[in-house]
Amino acid sequence: MRVGGGTELRRWHAGVVPKEQIDQYGHMNVRFYGVRAIAATRALGDELDVMKDAGDNVRLVFTDLFTRWFREQLEGAQLEVWGGVLDASETHIRVYQQLINAKTGELSASFAHVLQLQDATTREPVPFAPEVVEAALAARVEWPDNSRPRSIDLEHDPKLVTLDQAKSLGLSTWGFRNIDADECGPEGYFDSKFFFNLVWGRDDDDDDDEWLQQHEGRT
């Protein structure tokens, strides 16, 4: 698959949407879009041999994840993830992936992932081997205009607010979320493979599992 004038996008993942990935509204749950894209990026990383000469105390981590959704997918849909490298340096590799319905050809979601090697103890960046950077640059693709962010600037750090500022603005929260020991690696840090649990899970006394809640209307 060719997009623009860059290297052709390659297929890194394919699979049919099973029943267990469908939510109570009949669509594939949002977290599984990301699961497929991450699996594709890991496959791309394996081909680039990103862990080459990395050492036993080095881990491959996702330091940034961007997703733009386009279309819902249903049970039985045949989905494929196609992508390639957007840019690379000795301390990061940024990957583009797009999820498409193989039968209809429709774009379902697009993703940008940033990969980095880090020292497992200090969390400091560890350089990729020169051969890895060279291979990544050779796999560069162009980011299609129709799947780029519409309002988020990925080239600059986002504007962040503190928790106290968020509370003062009356922003909604899910409550506290404790990280369990089995969600951490041997060094004691949170393992990023559980990030979906971190986003969707919560610790409180609310046993209401409904995803939609009704609030008083505003005038």
Side-chain angles (χ1 to χ4, degrees):
M1 177 183 295
R2 182 174 291 278
V3 178
T7 302
E8 288 189 357
L9 300 182
R10 290 182 53 188
R11 188 178 70 177
W12 298 102
H13 176 80
V16 175
V17 179
K19 182 178 181 179
E20 56 268 25
Q21 292 184 1
I22 301 298
D23 60 26
Q24 60 264 54
Y25 305 110
H27 305 109
M28 185 172 75
N29 185 268
V30 64
R31 73 187 72 181
F32 295 110
Y33 292 76
V35 167
R36 292 170 185 271
I38 289 174
T41 295
R42 290 191 183 280
L44 189 159
D46 288 343
E47 178 158 312
L48 294 176
D49 197 14
V50 291
M51 297 299 296
K52 179 179 176 62
D53 302 331
D56 295 335
N57 200 46
V58 175
R59 304 288 183 268
L60 177 69
V61 298
F62 288 73
T63 62
D64 193 62
L65 301 170
F66 168 79
T67 305
R68 179 180 173 186
W69 281 276
F70 291 87
R71 291 177 177 83
E72 298 278 8
Q73 295 299 326
L74 308 177
E75 181 180 353
Q78 300 176 23
L79 302 182
E80 298 179 347
V81 185
W82 293 69
V85 174
L86 289 174
D87 55 67
S89 72
E90 68 172 13
T91 58
H92 85 277
I93 297 175
R94 186 163 64 153
V95 172
Y96 168 74
Q97 302 285 6
Q98 62 181 29
L99 180 69
I100 65 171
N101 185 304
K103 184 176 181 179
T104 65
E106 292 180 334
L107 178 64
S108 179
S110 63
F111 311 84
H113 297 157
V114 177
L115 302 178
Q116 186 178 76
L117 295 181
Q118 291 183 358
D119 183 284
T121 304
T122 67
R123 313 291 277 190
E124 291 297 318
V126 174
F128 290 102
E131 298 91 335
V132 173
V133 178
E134 182 179 353
L137 292 175
R140 279 185 296 185
V141 299
E142 292 185 7
W143 195 338
D145 289 337
N146 67 340
S147 62
R148 288 176 177 268
R150 290 182 297 177
S151 59
I152 298 176
D153 182 3
L154 299 185
E155 303 303 326
H156 300 87
D157 292 335
K159 295 180 179 180
L160 302 177
V161 298
T162 66
L163 179 59
D164 288 339
Q165 289 172 327
K167 289 180 177 178
S168 70
L169 293 172
L171 300 181
S172 176
T173 65
W174 277 63
F176 294 101
R177 170 66 164 87
N178 292 321
I179 296 175
D180 298 325
D182 59 2
E183 295 176 301
C184 297
E187 296 82 16
Y189 293 105
F190 180 73
D191 191 327
S192 61
K193 70 182 179 182
F194 295 112
F195 86 94
F196 282 110
N197 296 339
L198 185 65
V199 172
W200 295 99
R202 60 176 175 174
D203 293 336
D204 55 29
D205 296 326
D206 186 3
D207 58 1
D208 182 7
D209 61 356
E210 290 296 324
W211 289 16
L212 292 180
Q213 299 180 21
Q214 183 171 331
H215 299 276
E216 294 183 5
R218 294 183 178 180
T219 58

